[in-house]
Structure formats: C-alpha cells, structure tokens
Amino acid sequence: MAASTAVTTVSYGASPLLPSQTALAITSRRLSSFSPSKRLDLSNLRRRVNAPPPRRAVVRAARTESAGVKLGARAPNFELQEPLTGNLWKLEDFELYPSLLVMFICNHCPFVIHLKKDIVKLCNFYMKKGLAVVAISSNSVVTHPQDGPEFMAEDAKNFKYPFPYLYDESQEVAREFGAVCTPEFFLYKKDGRRPFELVYHGQFDDSRPSNNIPVTGRDLSLAIDLALSCQPIPSNQKPSVGCSIKWHPETESYVPKSKLKGEKKAKQKNFKSLAARRT
C-alpha cells in the first residue's frame, strides 16, 4: 500500500501560514526586479560574524597600601571635633589607657564598608578589655562631599560606633600620622608614664571586597591581644590595603611626612659629601 502524505496548514486568524500561489508570484517578480547593484553587501556582516568576541573591560578600584611609618614612633598630638556630639577630642584624653587604636576610615570607601560591621564588633570586644579606640576621617569634602561631617554623624549613628569618629578638616592630623589610605590602623602601646609608641601598623585581615575570604579581624585582634598582655608584637606585619586618602585638590601630590624626612636626610647627606669633596 502506498504511503500517503498529509500536509497540515496552521492558521493565525483567517490567513494560513503557507504562502499562496499569488503571493509566490508577487515575490518572484520583486526579486527579479532587484538589480545586483541594489543588493545588500553582506561581506562585512560575514566578517563580523566570524570575528572573535570583543574582550570585556575589567575596571579595578585604585588600591593603596599603608607604609612609611616606623614601629616605635610616638603618637602625634591632635585635637579634633566629633561631628555626632560636637565634642573635642585630644590625644591626652586617652592617656589613662594602656593601648590606643587609631583608625583612618571614611564613609564611601568600599574597603571600609567591607569591614565596617566587623570593626564595630572587634572594637566593642576589646574596649571592654581596656583598649582605647578613635576613628578619624581626613577625606576632602571638596572632592568627596559624602565623607563630610554631616554624613559622618549619620554613619556613626547608623552603625552604632562605640568610639568617637573625628573629622580632620585640614588633613594635618593624617599628615602627622603618615596615613595614606582607608582603612589604616595604628595600634599604640604605652609603658607607665611613657608616651604611646606604635607597635602595629598593619591590616585588619586578609579579606578584601572581591577575594571571597571571610572577614575575621585575625591580624589586628592578635596584635591587640599581645599589646594588652604586654607581649612583644612581631615586626613582620602585612600592610593595610584600601582607598587612598582623598587630599584637597591643591595638595593632591601629597607625600607622607615620613618620606619627606627621609628625602631631607638624604639631601643633607649629599650636601655634606659634596662639601667634603670641595674642601
């Protein structure tokens, strides 16, 4: 028995999807009237289809590492206002504490935001053990108004900072400390009546906003434990990594004070050697 083939047409409304003889004739006449000179040039399209896909642009945030401050350096004096309360804070306000943690942070930096909640947890824990803590923002409000005192007060209130969050409008305090990035941690320790001396200038831990490493605060908490128990802290310390401090536009090429001192000593040494040769 011969096999029979059935053709089924599918209709949308009243018109079948299969073309009628009249439609085919009209299409044939249109194609025959389309001259080669009017036809589309598809050669460029073919080349584009066969071309490799374009590379994806990867944008990375600028990273700055803390450096240039020697361990054993004394804590600089400061007098700064706390936007949340309007109170003035000085270095001498922390003289009765055995250790002082000075943190340079800000509102907008993704490196700070990544650690913010854990910084609060760590400080709450160690402040009960006798650690003094103060945070400072030195970013320029000219370039970054979101880091201004009004927003600092909101940030301190929203995150329930247990420490004073101070505004360094002139940026002189950041220069005195040698701070260059946010977050940046300076842990000072004092023996008796001696002034605070720097014992730790390193990272919070290995976690960064994009490396998927859990935030633990391991490095800083270990240093605080050793400082509070009067034990020596290893000098091999990983630098803190974060956003650069946003200097005022007229001082964007700021060089840390510690580096300037080193350059000054080197110049003096060169001048002395030149004078010796002349004589």
Side-chain angles (χ1 to χ4, degrees):
M1 181 182 291
S4 62
T5 304
V7 178
T8 305
T9 62
V10 181
S11 298
Y12 182 79
S15 302
L17 292 181
L18 291 178
S20 65
Q21 295 295 330
T22 305
L24 289 172
I26 293 171
T27 305
S28 177
R29 286 197 299 272
R30 286 177 178 173
L31 288 174
S32 62
S33 64
F34 191 71
S35 63
S37 62
K38 294 180 180 179
R39 290 177 185 173
L40 295 174
D41 182 9
L42 301 179
S43 58
N44 289 334
L45 181 59
R46 292 193 191 98
R47 284 198 293 268
R48 289 179 184 176
V49 171
N50 296 327
R55 294 181 179 179
R56 293 180 62 186
V58 178
V59 179
R60 293 185 174 89
R63 294 155 59 106
T64 302
E65 290 187 355
S66 60
V69 183
K70 291 184 178 180
L71 297 178
R74 293 184 177 182
N77 289 313
F78 61 84
E79 183 176 346
L80 297 173
Q81 189 172 43
E82 181 183 11
L84 180 62
T85 62
N87 294 334
L88 280 175
W89 290 83
K90 305 176 183 179
L91 178 65
E92 62 189 45
D93 293 326
F94 306 98
E95 286 295 322
L96 297 179
Y97 293 87
S99 293
L100 169 65
L101 175 63
V102 180
M103 305 180 293
F104 283 84
I105 62 173
C106 68
N107 296 349
H108 88 277
C109 173
F111 291 89
V112 176
I113 294 171
H114 178 65
L115 300 176
K116 199 171 287 186
K117 290 181 180 179
D118 291 274
I119 287 175
V120 171
K121 289 179 184 177
L122 181 143
C123 291
N124 273 321
F125 179 78
Y126 283 105
M127 287 174 72
K128 293 175 183 177
K129 294 191 171 187
L131 176 71
V133 182
V134 60
I136 299 172
S137 177
S138 301
N139 277 2
S140 172
V141 295
V142 176
T143 59
H144 291 74
Q146 65 269 44
D147 290 334
E150 179 183 350
F151 299 103
M152 287 175 60
E154 289 181 10
D155 214 47
K157 187 175 181 180
N158 291 338
F159 285 90
K160 298 180 180 179
Y161 286 171
F163 45 77
Y165 186 22
L166 313 182
Y167 179 43
D168 177 22
E169 183 177 10
S170 69
Q171 302 185 324
E172 285 301 318
V173 174
R175 296 173 189 275
E176 289 293 331
F177 275 84
V180 294
C181 66
T182 58
E184 188 163 356
F185 304 95
F186 296 81
L187 178 62
Y188 295 90
K189 175 186 170 185
K190 63 181 304 183
D191 294 323
R193 295 183 179 180
R194 295 187 62 182
F196 282 115
E197 293 182 354
L198 185 65
V199 292
Y200 182 79
H201 182 222
Q203 66 176 7
F204 192 76
D205 57 25
D206 290 324
S207 184
R208 305 289 182 263
S210 58
N211 66 5
N212 295 321
I213 296 176
V215 179
T216 62
R218 181 190 61 187
D219 296 58
L220 181 57
S221 61
L222 177 60
I224 295 172
D225 281 330
L226 293 173
L228 292 177
S229 58
C230 299
Q231 298 182 52
I233 298 174
S235 59
N236 185 20
Q237 302 168 4
K238 292 182 181 180
S240 185
V241 177
C243 306
S244 63
I245 287 180
K246 310 309 178 190
W247 305 106
H248 295 312
E250 65 272 15
T251 58
E252 280 185 327
S253 58
Y254 163 67
V255 179
K257 204 166 186 179
S258 56
K259 189 173 181 181
L260 288 174
K261 287 180 180 178
E263 291 178 354
K264 186 177 180 181
K265 287 181 180 179
K267 287 180 181 179
Q268 288 175 346
K269 189 175 181 181
N270 290 335
F271 287 148
K272 287 180 181 179
S273 61
L274 287 172
R277 289 176 186 175
R278 289 173 181 173
T279 56

